[in-house]
Amino acid sequence: MTRNETNDQAEAVRRPGGRSARVRADVLRATLEALAEHGPGGGLTLSEIARRAGVHATSIQRRWGTVQNLILDALLTYSQEQLPVPDTGSLRDDMVALARLITAYLDTPLGTALAQAMAAVDEDPALAGSRAQFWQARYDATRTIVDRAIARDELAADTDHQLVLELLVAPLHFRALLIRQPVEEGRIERMVDALLHGLAG
């Protein structure tokens, strides 16, 4: 093994993921910041995101192709980091844990801004497509909660997993974004209990 190869391996150990991972993280962070500031229809450009991230716009274009692809990647990555799917062993506890994560997410300036941006009315077909793909990915991720509950006989086999997520998320977004009221711990548990009572009916 040459000295250069040894140095390269040592550098890789010191910097897990390497430069590519750091650049991706910088670009996604810059995208989220720009999205929160301007909204999805605010005329975001690859050049603007490149400037914020300190990279060349051509590098972003080669990797993501379009602004819409970049926005989708940024939102999905951030949601996966901030909203992992709980696995507590019971449906109620999973739902309460997920509601707590969503509440904490919406309680941050970035989380609020992103939720508002995603809810903004925009007729751009590409942005509408990105929004639909984002929510479909969230539906698919959280479907495991319902699937596990069905396997444990906590829910009927024909339970609509998409409806379950919508009924959980909607009141949290309503309080955070529309009436701008806090979501107390007791309210989260009451909401989940009311949802589960409805599903059992």
Side-chain angles (χ1 to χ4, degrees), residues 67-83:
V67 171
Q68 288 74 30
N69 289 339
L70 180 53
I71 289 174
L72 180 62
D73 190 12
L75 288 171
L76 287 176
T77 300
Y78 188 69
S79 67
Q80 288 163 1
E81 293 171 351
Q82 301 298 316
L83 301 171

Side-chain angles (χ1 to χ4, degrees), residues 85-86 91 94-95 98 141-149 152:
V85 179
L91 174 60
D94 281 351
M95 299 287 279
L98 181 59
T142 53
R143 178 172 188 155
T144 58
I145 292 177
V146 175
D147 289 343
R148 289 193 301 252
R152 292 191 297 259

Side-chain angles (χ1 to χ4, degrees), residues 8-168:
D8 288 345
Q9 288 188 359
E11 184 68 10
V13 170
R14 287 195 299 270
R15 301 187 306 176
R19 181 176 183 277
S20 178
R22 293 199 315 280
V23 169
R24 180 176 184 272
D26 290 344
V27 170
L28 296 185
R29 173 190 50 77
T31 303
L32 291 174
E33 291 174 354
L35 184 62
E37 184 176 333
H38 300 295
L44 293 184
T45 65
L46 295 180
S47 296
E48 165 66 12
I49 294 169
R51 182 190 64 78
R52 289 173 177 260
V55 301
H56 294 294
T58 52
S59 299
I60 296 179
Q61 188 170 27
R62 280 196 302 269
R63 181 160 189 165
W64 284 277
T66 67
V67 171
Q68 288 74 30
N69 289 339
L70 180 53
I71 289 174
L72 180 62
D73 190 12
L75 288 171
L76 287 176
T77 300
Y78 188 69
S79 67
Q80 288 163 1
E81 293 171 351
Q82 301 298 316
L83 301 171
V85 179
D87 185 6
T88 65
S90 82
L91 174 60
R92 184 182 186 277
D93 290 347
D94 281 351
M95 299 287 279
V96 169
L98 181 59
R100 286 171 179 161
L101 288 170
I102 295 171
T103 299
Y105 171 86
L106 293 172
D107 198 37
T108 65
L110 181 57
T112 299
L114 291 176
Q116 290 172 336
M118 288 297 288
V121 175
D122 196 304
E123 299 302 325
D124 185 294
L127 290 175
S130 292
R131 182 186 292 115
Q133 289 181 62
F134 168 79
W135 280 110
Q136 186 59 54
R138 292 307 303 166
Y139 286 136
D140 292 344
T142 53
R143 178 172 188 155
T144 58
I145 292 177
V146 175
D147 289 343
R148 289 193 301 252
I150 292 173
R152 292 191 297 259
D153 293 325
E154 293 177 288
L155 288 175
D158 60 351
T159 298
D160 185 337
H161 73 281
Q162 186 167 316
L163 179 62
V164 172
L165 178 62
E166 291 174 356
L167 291 174
L168 179 68

